[in-house]
């Protein structure tokens, strides 16, 4: 199905087997704030590396998987079957970075990240600027051989496990005054402090704290690309990550479709399996149908990227993939909870966990509303026939 090559099928099978190894740890993680013992997490990460599922998006020449976009989707789809972010150990480091990294940055940041020795996080969003990235007020000011960074960043995912952050701010002074700059900041660094660590809907060991940067001094050698380039990296990352979000949503929905089918076969009410009830059948059928549509779309969009589609077309298609797959997965999760009845409301049940966890897929990396506006803008500019 889906015209996958032998190589695609092999990496898909490895990723599926890996996800199946992690699933038995989910309930323990759920009941302990998302945490598993450090040696268990280390073993999971080592296993991801061993199976070739780590840094699949990074160039083979740098030690990464060098996988096609479709293969990256296949891996992240399986990752999406696992709750509590346990499969985030199959990480995808910033694939846009090698092209702009200096030799120093390659050695200090890129290569150790591809080897799984260092981990990054992203400090872009602020209290007053999420969807509108250009609304950030954090500042970057040149000071001799350094830059001074100031600002407060929200929702900094994985800050608690990362050892460097991509910080985005607006330049103050100089030729590029008011434009964006991105810098890599080692964690910890003097002046970088956690303001607070809010609780979120999901139960992950990865926190999303509010982080203050106060007169943080960073060597100019940590500037990514050139002054004024900051926004282009953010857009490149969004394109990639929207596709990966879509892929993980396929996986979440696949897991649920399998679980609700099994439950509908077994669970009997008044002596009859609920799978024979029309109301339940409608929910089962709608879920699989929508999953099939979403998967076909996501795979096709990934193939377009591999074939070198125009970047604006890629941008619109990644938005369509994220929009449709995340909304589809949300509907499937809602139905799954309903089909499981009271069990679907218990944290030990995968439908309950995915119902909560999948909600953010419609928010981060650009909300559904933002995806719709990107798609509609491209339709108006280029016409729908080029885009789909
Ligand atoms: C769990 C989690 C982890 C995150 N991790 C990170 C991270 O690691 N690094 C990081 O930098 N950020 C991160 N984010 C931030 C995330 O990217 C933003 O929350 C998201 O982009 C939305 O921004 P916002 O929260 O400011 O909402 P707002 O932009 O304030 O949006 C509020 C509402 O207005 C709507 N809206 C906004 N603009 C438009 C528009 N143009 N048209 C129509 N409707 C619109 C939105 O859809 C939404 O419904 C994370 C968020 C969460 C929840």
């Amino acid at each position: 199905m889906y015209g996958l090559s032998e190589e695609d099928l092999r990496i898909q099978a490895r990723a599926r087997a890996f996800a199946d190894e992690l699933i038995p740890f989910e309930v323990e993680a759920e009941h302990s704030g998302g945490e598993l013992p450090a040696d268990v997490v280390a073993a999971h990460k080592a296993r991801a590396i061993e199976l070739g599922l780590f840094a699949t998006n990074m160039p083979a020449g740098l030690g990464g998987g060098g996988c096609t976009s479709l293969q990256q989707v296949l891996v992240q789809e399986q990752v999406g079957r696992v709750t509590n972010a346990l499969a985030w150990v199959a990480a995808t480091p910033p694939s846009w970075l090698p092209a702009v990294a200096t030799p120093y940055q390659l050695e200090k940041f890129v290569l150790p990240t591809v080897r799984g020795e260092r981990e990054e996080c992203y400090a872009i969003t602020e209290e007053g600027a999420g969807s509108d990235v250009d609304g950030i007020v954090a500042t970057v000011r040149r000071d001799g051989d350094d830059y001074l960074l100031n600002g407060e960043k929200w929702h900094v995912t994985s800050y608690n496990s990362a050892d460097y952050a991509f910080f985005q701010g607006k330049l103050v002074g100089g030729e590029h005054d008011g434009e964006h700059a991105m810098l890599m900041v080692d964690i910890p660094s003097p002046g970088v402090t956690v303001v607070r660590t809010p609780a979120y809907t999901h139960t992950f060991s990865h926190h999303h704290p509010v982080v203050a940067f106060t007169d943080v001094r960073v060597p100019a050698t940590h500037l990514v690309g050139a002054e004024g380039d900051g926004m282009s990296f953010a857009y490149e990352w969004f394109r990639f990550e929207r596709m990966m979000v879509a892929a993980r949503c396929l996986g979440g929905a696949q897991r649920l479709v399998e679980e609700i089918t099994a439950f509908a076969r077994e669970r009997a009410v008044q002596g009859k399996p609920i799978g024979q009830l029309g109301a339940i059948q409608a929910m089962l059928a709608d879920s699989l149908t929508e999953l099939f549509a979403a998967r076909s779309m996501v795979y096709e969009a990934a193939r377009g990227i591999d074939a070198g589609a125009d970047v604006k077309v890629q941008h619109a298609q990644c938005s369509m993939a994220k929009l449709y797959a995340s909304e589809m997965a949300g509907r499937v999760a809602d139905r799954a909870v309903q089909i499981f009845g009271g069990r679907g409301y218990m944290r030990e049940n995968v439908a309950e966990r995915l119902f909560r966890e999948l909600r953010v897929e419609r928010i981060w990396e650009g909300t559904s509303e933002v995806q719709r506006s990107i798609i509609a803008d491209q339709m108006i500019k280029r016409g729908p026939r080029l885009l789909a």
Side-chain angles (χ1 to χ4, degrees):
M1 250 208 284
Y2 301 105
L4 299 177
S5 69
E6 286 299 313
E7 203 183 332
D8 296 341
L9 290 169
R10 271 197 296 275
I11 195 163
Q12 183 189 48
R14 288 205 303 278
R16 185 171 177 99
F18 177 62
D20 288 341
E21 286 175 27
L22 299 183
I23 283 172
F25 293 90
E26 291 175 338
V27 175
E28 179 187 345
E30 180 61 37
H31 289 151
S32 54
E35 303 283 347
L36 290 177
D39 59 325
V40 173
V41 176
H44 290 164
K45 184 168 176 176
R47 185 83 174 122
I49 293 171
E50 178 194 342
L51 290 170
L53 304 173
F54 186 86
T56 53
N57 60 329
M58 299 302 274
L62 297 178
C67 292
T68 63
S69 288
L70 180 61
Q71 289 165 352
Q72 294 167 38
V73 160
L74 295 173
V75 170
Q76 291 301 308
E77 180 178 1
Q78 296 307 321
V79 164
R81 293 174 52 240
V82 184
T83 67
N84 302 87
L86 299 184
W88 282 15
V89 288
T92 48
S95 41
W96 49 269
L97 187 54
V100 293
T102 63
Y104 163 77
Q105 292 172 349
L106 270 178
E107 283 302 321
K108 183 172 167 67
F109 295 104
V110 178
L111 293 173
T113 307
V114 175
R115 290 194 297 264
E117 296 160 7
R118 299 200 78 187
E119 190 184 325
E120 78 286 5
C121 65
Y122 293 83
I124 298 173
T125 301
E126 298 174 6
E127 183 174 11
S131 303
D132 176 22
V133 180
D134 199 34
I136 59 172
V137 294
T139 57
V140 174
R141 185 192 302 268
R142 184 82 193 219
D143 185 39
D145 289 339
D146 301 327
Y147 285 98
L148 279 180
L149 316 184
N150 279 284
E152 189 177 276
K153 296 296 185 177
W154 275 48
H155 310 297
V156 185
T157 297
S158 304
Y159 178 86
N160 55 322
S161 54
D163 44 25
Y164 67 102
F166 289 98
F167 174 95
Q168 188 150 332
K170 282 189 174 166
L171 290 153
V172 179
E175 203 187 323
H176 296 277
D177 183 66
E179 295 177 25
H180 287 245
M182 185 181 267
L183 288 107
M184 291 178 280
V185 185
D186 285 311
I187 301 170
S189 277
V192 183
T193 50
V194 172
V195 177
R196 61 193 180 93
T197 301
Y200 284 69
T201 303
H202 52 221
T203 317
F204 288 4
S205 66
H206 298 261
H207 300 162
H208 317 279
V210 177
V211 181
F213 293 75
T214 312
D215 288 332
V216 179
R217 187 167 285 278
V218 176
T221 50
H222 288 204
L223 177 70
V224 185
E227 290 190 357
D229 278 357
M231 283 297 269
S232 59
F233 304 135
Y235 287 132
E236 211 170 320
W237 178 250
F238 281 150
R239 252 194 326 276
F240 167 80
E241 195 51 28
R242 283 170 188 162
M243 191 57 112
M244 297 303 122
V245 164
R248 288 190 288 270
C249 287
L250 300 181
Q254 177 67 37
R255 173 100 183 265
L256 290 171
V257 159
E258 288 172 19
E259 296 274 354
I260 54 180
T261 306
F263 187 71
R265 281 190 185 123
E266 288 159 18
R267 177 70 174 167
V269 173
Q270 293 176 332
K272 194 169 152 187
I274 60 168
Q276 291 178 16
L277 303 173
I280 300 291
Q281 287 190 336
M283 290 193 275
L284 292 173
D286 285 349
S287 296
L288 187 61
T289 304
E290 292 180 27
L291 171 58
F292 184 35
R295 184 179 283 134
S296 303
M297 172 197 272
V298 174
Y299 285 13
E300 184 62 21
R303 285 193 166 103
I305 295 172
D306 289 331
D310 175 271
V311 76
K312 293 285 184 192
V313 173
Q314 287 186 25
H315 205 66
Q317 291 192 344
C318 289
S319 287
M320 285 190 256
K322 189 210 182 242
L323 171 65
Y324 188 73
S326 63
E327 302 246 333
M328 173 280 299
R331 289 191 294 273
V332 171
D334 187 67
R335 293 183 198 118
V337 169
Q338 200 64 22
I339 290 173
F340 275 111
R343 288 168 176 77
Y345 203 63
M346 296 164 77
R347 287 194 173 215
E348 64 191 38
N349 185 294
V350 65
E352 190 279 340
R353 294 194 300 281
L354 280 172
F355 179 73
R356 279 181 292 121
E357 293 181 11
L358 286 166
R359 187 63 185 85
V360 77
E361 309 291 7
R362 286 185 265 163
I363 296 172
W364 59 15
E365 309 304 342
T367 62
S368 287
E369 292 72 35
V370 166
Q371 306 309 331
R372 287 190 177 96
S373 103
I374 292 169
I375 298 159
D377 280 351
Q378 288 298 317
M379 287 171 71
I380 303 297
K381 280 187 197 140
R382 301 171 160 251
R385 275 176 53 203
L386 264 181
L387 305 175

